[in-house]
Amino acid sequence: MTLARDLARPYPTVRVDDDAQEAARLLVRERLPALLVLDQLECPYAIVPAVQLLGALVPEYDCQDLLPAMIGDRFDEDVRGVLSGRPVADWLPRHRVTPGLVGPEESPSEVAALMARKDCPVVAVIERDGGAVTLLGAITGDVLLEHFIGGP
């Protein structure tokens, strides 16, 4: 029987006090579906899907009223400036999405249900030992789909 621990993979993380621009670069470089943000105690704190990060980068623009061609270079420069020199905690959405957390013994169907309920592409697999939490890895939607329907 396959369990969450069997599907968990190492997953890059950032901390709330890490540089926001470097965190965004990690998301791009690793082609991650979301950033998994840890608190100062290394516990999963937030999950920021890439599309949510885009929304955080452009809050002052009404994207429906502006034509991308009219925005041009000024928009690009403004967006770059939003992240520069700021910690990850500064650009977490007001209503942060807490990461889905599962124990290593959860079944794939339980993981899938949590992922669907939270509408989030990543679930963290953790182990608790008293008050301590250890991140074992994460399960992404593509890994879970591959488990259910097979490989390419």
Side-chain angles (χ1 to χ4, degrees):
M1 177 173 167
T2 302
L3 300 172
R5 75 164 30 104
D6 303 319
L7 297 173
R9 305 284 184 270
Y11 194 86
T13 60
V14 296
R15 290 176 44 143
V16 292
D17 54 355
D18 284 347
D19 180 74
Q21 195 154 351
E22 288 304 312
R25 285 187 177 130
L26 172 70
L27 182 117
V28 171
R29 184 176 57 250
E30 299 291 328
R31 302 229 181 264
L32 302 172
L35 281 174
L36 180 55
V37 182
L38 306 179
D39 64 16
Q40 292 89 348
L41 300 174
E42 302 290 317
C43 295
Y45 176 76
I47 191 83
V48 184
V51 294
Q52 193 173 17
L53 176 56
L54 286 172
L57 290 175
V58 293
E60 70 273 6
Y61 291 98
D62 182 349
C63 296
Q64 293 182 6
D65 292 340
L66 295 175
L67 296 173
M70 294 174 67
I71 299 170
D73 293 335
R74 180 177 162 253
F75 176 79
D76 291 349
E77 290 171 16
D78 289 350
V79 168
R80 284 186 195 102
V82 169
L83 296 177
S84 184
R86 298 175 64 195
V88 168
D90 280 3
W91 58 257
L92 285 176
R94 277 188 200 145
H95 305 289
R96 75 178 162 91
V97 177
T98 56
L101 303 174
V102 296
E105 304 299 319
E106 301 291 331
S107 71
S109 60
E110 290 169 316
V111 175
L114 177 62
M115 198 175 279
R117 188 170 57 251
K118 293 190 75 64
D119 190 26
C120 192
V122 179
V123 170
V125 180
I126 62 166
E127 196 160 54
R128 295 183 190 272
D129 184 17
V133 173
T134 303
L135 178 65
L136 300 178
I139 301 171
T140 57
D142 62 319
V143 167
L144 203 51
L145 278 171
E146 183 178 1
H147 168 75
F148 288 125
I149 64 173

